[in-house]
Amino acid sequence: MFLPIILLVFTLNSCDTKTDKVSILKNKEGMKLVVNGEDFIINGMNWDYFPIGTNFSYSLWEQSDAFIKTALDAEMNLLKEMGVNTIRVYEGIQPQWITYIYKEYGIYTMLNHSFGRYGVAINGNWEPETDYSNANAQQGLLTEVSEMAEAYKNTPGLLLFLLGNENNYGLFWAGSETEDFPEGETEKNEIGELRGRAMYKLMNEAAIKMKEIDKNHPVAICNGDDLYIDIIAEECKDVDIYGTNMYRGKSFGDAFERVKKTLNMPILFTEFGADAFNSLTQKEDQKMQAYYMLENWKEIYENVSGLEKAGNAIGGFTFQFSDGWWKLGQTTSLDIHDNHASWANGGYALDYVKGANNMSEEWFGICAKGPTDTKGFYTLTPRAAYFALQKAHQLNPYAKGITTDLISKHFREIKI
């Protein structure tokens, strides 16, 4: 009489530990992500947990299990209600929490290794700027990503691996604070050949090693916009997905077609979005932020496989879930919500004036961050963009009968 019960328990345990089969499908209709045989659009979010007063040195994953669970339950519930199905998280999260997030909230994780973006350890010494042509740096990074693939390969809830975070930008400046680029094309090209080619070649070697270890999860790279895409085409032939942090305003322009033509890869927007602070009025501007995000998601959906456009979009990760109060100074004024714009972008015309910065790094959250309580937790207040994207993500661009006209209609009916 106990045999059926034993078999039932075995079956349930097998389901809990089942590794998802994730792959890229390419055919005459385009390119798409397939998860366990089903078409999958990534409605993603760049997610982190930094209480006001902390910075990059803080790690949620070093807190107690009880603290982590409470924090996750609060934020993942908001994400689930919004329609987010994948979060972007850097290495450091333990496999158990990837599975917890998936089992409790149905949200997958894209696991991100920075791949030397902020420095690399060589023979026990930390080098703040990575020289990708250095043999010791190469070996160290290949060892790290191989160990990551081995440790996470059987983790339920893992969707894919991501290497880097706009590492091509890191060839120009150290650290994570966004700056403006040198304007000369000659200088950019020289740096690409001198430092960038070795980096992309190493990324490809890393992808090969990781896929030898884990055959069920694709490997993407994270590039800044399309800078050095021609070098990527030559050096990254074994990478599965072209991920890009792209901030072009309301439209991604030629990005879909250029990636399709140059790389023949699916495009994944690993970061995009808009800040919620208007540099002209010097006030919070939720409507402006929501407007840009809706325009971006509309283009992503219109360019999925099976429609009449590029057919290579597989989704994106909105940047970001909550404000980063540490972003501007990195180590100073951590308890001040700084509204100074640190870089200029003419694509965001609603608050752009030539010669002036308009992008406020500490205001990119679609949720405003509240004060930290005595236990170390904080609450979030969703902005207009949260509710706008909640409506946007109700659309499945792979649903039967979907057309670009229906997508446009869906987005027109969203009231900011």
Side-chain angles (χ1 to χ4, degrees), residues 338-382:
D338 202 311
N339 56 27
H340 288 89
S342 60
W343 53 292
N345 192 325
Y348 297 83
L350 294 179
D351 69 343
Y352 175 72
V353 174
K354 189 174 182 179
N357 292 338
N358 64 324
M359 308 301 288
S360 299
E361 281 290 311
E362 296 193 1
W363 289 79
F364 270 83
I366 65 165
C367 293
K369 187 169 291 180
T372 307
D373 66 20
T374 56
K375 295 181 180 179
F377 300 108
Y378 57 82
T379 56
L380 298 177
T381 302

Side-chain angles (χ1 to χ4, degrees), residues 28 79 85 96 179 197 210 214 240 247 259 294 296 382:
K28 63 181 181 180
L79 287 164
N85 60 18
Q96 73 185 78
E179 304 171 23
R197 188 173 290 277
M210 293 171 72
D214 182 351
D240 298 304
Y247 295 90
V259 170
L294 285 175
N296 288 163

